[in-house]
Amino acid sequence: RNCYKNIFKVAIENNIKTIAIPCLGTGIYQCPIDIGRNFAFEEAYKVKEKFEKIFFVCYRKEEYEIYTNKK
């Protein structure tokens, strides 16, 4: 969660309007993807008005399915 908070904080401080963020912690650190997605979405929701677009980049099909609620 803190990683997403810090990413958004730095982006806002630098007046970034479009951002793409990978699924954090769901690979080698083995955070369950649904928990990682919840952290990502919750933190993005808090700052969504500061951005024109926020993208979450999914490397694996399993991540994509969970991030798009297809699983």
Side-chain angles (χ1 to χ4, degrees), residues 36-67:
R37 178 207 54 213
N38 291 346
F39 288 161
F41 286 9
E42 289 167 7
E43 295 307 317
Y45 186 79
K46 293 176 186 177
V47 295
K48 67 181 181 174
E49 71 282 346
K50 305 273 186 185
F51 295 90
E52 293 173 11
K53 299 235 183 212
I54 299 173
F55 296 96
F56 292 101
V57 180
C58 300
Y59 178 72
R60 296 176 292 160
K61 182 179 179 184
E62 181 182 14
E63 291 169 335
Y64 177 79
E65 289 172 345
I66 292 173
Y67 269 65

Side-chain angles (χ1 to χ4, degrees), residues 11-48:
I12 292 166
E13 289 172 353
N14 288 281
N15 202 34
I16 292 170
K17 297 298 180 189
T18 300
I19 190 167
I21 306 167
C23 303
L24 299 171
T26 60
I28 194 167
Y29 294 107
Q30 300 180 348
C31 173
I33 298 169
D34 58 331
I35 292 173
R37 178 207 54 213
N38 291 346
F39 288 161
F41 286 9
E42 289 167 7
E43 295 307 317
Y45 186 79
K46 293 176 186 177
V47 295
K48 67 181 181 174

